[in-house]
Coordinates of all heavy atoms in Angstrom, one line a residue:
T1 N 0.8 -1.2 0.0 CA 0.0 0.0 0.0 C 0.9 1.3 0.0 O 0.5 2.3 -0.6 CB -1.0 0.0 1.2 OG1 -1.6 -1.3 1.3 CG2 -2.0 1.1 1.1
G2 N 2.0 1.2 0.6 CA 3.0 2.2 0.5 C 2.6 3.6 0.8 O 2.0 3.9 1.9
L3 N 2.8 4.5 -0.1 CA 2.4 5.9 0.0 C 1.4 6.2 -1.1 O 1.7 6.6 -2.2 CB 3.6 6.8 -0.2 CG 4.7 6.7 0.8 CD1 6.0 7.4 0.4 CD2 4.3 7.2 2.2
P4 N 0.1 5.9 -0.9 CA -0.9 6.0 -2.0 C -1.1 7.3 -2.7 O -1.5 7.3 -3.8 CB -2.2 5.5 -1.3 CG -1.8 4.9 0.0 CD -0.5 5.5 0.4
T5 N -0.8 8.4 -2.0 CA -1.0 9.7 -2.6 C 0.3 10.4 -3.0 O 0.3 11.6 -3.4 CB -1.7 10.6 -1.6 OG1 -0.9 10.8 -0.5 CG2 -3.1 10.1 -1.3
K6 N 1.4 9.7 -3.0 CA 2.7 10.3 -3.3 C 3.3 9.7 -4.6 O 2.8 8.6 -5.1 CB 3.7 10.0 -2.1 CG 3.2 10.5 -0.8 CD 2.8 12.0 -0.8 CE 2.3 12.4 0.6 NZ 1.9 13.8 0.6
T7 N 4.3 10.3 -5.1 CA 4.7 9.9 -6.5 C 6.1 9.2 -6.5 O 6.9 9.5 -5.7 CB 4.8 11.2 -7.4 OG1 5.0 10.8 -8.7 CG2 6.0 12.1 -6.9
E8 N 6.2 8.2 -7.4 CA 7.4 7.5 -7.6 C 7.5 7.0 -9.0 O 6.5 7.1 -9.7 CB 7.5 6.3 -6.7 CG 7.9 6.6 -5.2 CD 8.1 5.3 -4.4 OE1 8.1 4.2 -4.9 OE2 8.2 5.5 -3.2
Q9 N 8.6 6.5 -9.4 CA 8.8 5.8 -10.7 C 9.3 4.4 -10.5 O 10.3 4.0 -11.1 CB 9.8 6.6 -11.6 CG 9.4 8.0 -12.0 CD 10.4 8.7 -12.9 OE1 11.6 8.9 -12.4 NE2 10.1 9.0 -14.1
T10 N 8.6 3.7 -9.7 CA 9.2 2.4 -9.2 C 8.5 1.2 -9.9 O 8.8 0.0 -9.4 CB 9.0 2.3 -7.7 OG1 7.7 2.8 -7.3 CG2 10.1 3.2 -7.0
D11 N 7.7 1.3 -10.9 CA 7.1 0.2 -11.5 C 7.7 -0.2 -12.9 O 7.1 -1.0 -13.6 CB 5.6 0.5 -11.7 CG 4.8 0.6 -10.4 OD1 5.4 0.2 -9.3 OD2 3.7 1.1 -10.4
L12 N 8.8 0.5 -13.3 CA 9.3 0.3 -14.6 C 9.7 -1.2 -14.9 O 9.3 -1.8 -15.9 CB 10.5 1.2 -14.9 CG 11.2 1.0 -16.2 CD1 10.2 1.3 -17.4 CD2 12.4 2.0 -16.4
L13 N 10.5 -1.7 -14.0 CA 10.9 -3.1 -14.2 C 9.7 -4.1 -14.1 O 9.7 -5.1 -14.8 CB 12.0 -3.5 -13.1 CG 13.3 -2.8 -13.3 CD1 14.3 -3.3 -12.2 CD2 13.9 -2.9 -14.7
Q14 N 8.7 -3.8 -13.3 CA 7.5 -4.6 -13.3 C 6.8 -4.6 -14.6 O 6.4 -5.6 -15.1 CB 6.6 -4.1 -12.2 CG 5.3 -5.0 -12.1 CD 4.4 -4.5 -11.0 OE1 3.4 -5.3 -10.7 NE2 4.5 -3.4 -10.4
A15 N 6.8 -3.4 -15.2 CA 6.1 -3.2 -16.5 C 6.9 -4.0 -17.6 O 6.3 -4.6 -18.5 CB 6.0 -1.8 -16.9
L16 N 8.2 -3.9 -17.5 CA 9.0 -4.6 -18.6 C 9.1 -6.1 -18.4 O 9.1 -6.8 -19.4 CB 10.5 -4.0 -18.5 CG 10.6 -2.5 -19.0 CD1 12.0 -2.0 -18.6 CD2 10.5 -2.4 -20.5
Y17 N 9.2 -6.5 -17.2 CA 9.5 -7.9 -16.9 C 8.6 -8.7 -16.0 O 8.8 -9.9 -15.8 CB 11.0 -8.1 -16.4 CG 12.0 -7.4 -17.2 CD1 12.8 -6.3 -16.7 CD2 12.3 -7.8 -18.5 CE1 13.8 -5.7 -17.4 CE2 13.2 -7.2 -19.3 CZ 14.0 -6.1 -18.7 OH 15.0 -5.5 -19.5
G18 N 7.6 -8.0 -15.5 CA 6.7 -8.6 -14.5 C 5.6 -9.6 -15.0 O 4.5 -9.5 -14.6
H19 N 6.0 -10.5 -15.9 CA 5.1 -11.4 -16.5 C 5.8 -12.7 -16.7 O 7.0 -12.7 -17.0 CB 4.5 -10.9 -17.9 CG 4.6 -9.5 -18.0 ND1 3.7 -8.6 -17.4 CD2 5.4 -8.7 -18.8 CE1 4.0 -7.4 -17.7 NE2 5.1 -7.4 -18.5
N20 N 5.1 -13.8 -16.5 CA 5.8 -15.1 -16.7 C 6.0 -15.4 -18.2 O 5.3 -15.0 -19.1 CB 5.0 -16.3 -16.0 CG 3.7 -16.5 -16.8 OD1 2.8 -15.7 -16.8 ND2 3.6 -17.7 -17.3
G21 N 7.1 -16.2 -18.4 CA 7.4 -16.6 -19.8 C 8.1 -15.5 -20.6 O 8.3 -14.4 -20.1
E22 N 8.4 -15.8 -21.8 CA 8.9 -14.7 -22.7 C 7.7 -13.9 -23.2 O 7.0 -14.4 -24.1 CB 9.6 -15.4 -23.9 CG 11.0 -16.0 -23.6 CD 12.0 -15.0 -23.1 OE1 11.9 -13.8 -23.5 OE2 12.9 -15.3 -22.4
S23 N 7.5 -12.8 -22.6 CA 6.3 -12.0 -22.8 C 6.6 -10.5 -23.1 O 6.3 -9.7 -22.3 CB 5.4 -12.1 -21.6 OG 6.1 -11.9 -20.4
P24 N 7.1 -10.2 -24.3 CA 7.5 -8.9 -24.6 C 6.2 -8.0 -24.9 O 5.3 -8.5 -25.5 CB 8.4 -9.0 -25.8 CG 7.8 -10.2 -26.5 CD 7.5 -11.2 -25.4
L25 N 6.3 -6.8 -24.5 CA 5.2 -5.8 -24.8 C 5.8 -4.4 -24.8 O 6.7 -4.2 -24.0 CB 4.0 -6.0 -23.9 CG 4.0 -5.3 -22.5 CD1 2.7 -5.5 -21.9 CD2 5.1 -5.9 -21.6
P26 N 5.2 -3.5 -25.6 CA 5.7 -2.1 -25.6 C 5.4 -1.4 -24.2 O 4.3 -1.7 -23.6 CB 5.0 -1.5 -26.7 CG 4.5 -2.6 -27.6 CD 4.3 -3.8 -26.7
V27 N 6.3 -0.6 -23.8 CA 6.1 0.2 -22.6 C 6.4 1.7 -22.9 O 7.5 2.0 -23.5 CB 7.1 -0.3 -21.5 CG1 7.0 0.6 -20.3 CG2 6.8 -1.7 -21.1

């Protein structure tokens, strides 16, 4: 839940690699 009303850029690696298998997608 972290800081729900504050800003970060901490989901980039999740967007790029946070899926099982070889699963490329544009980000």
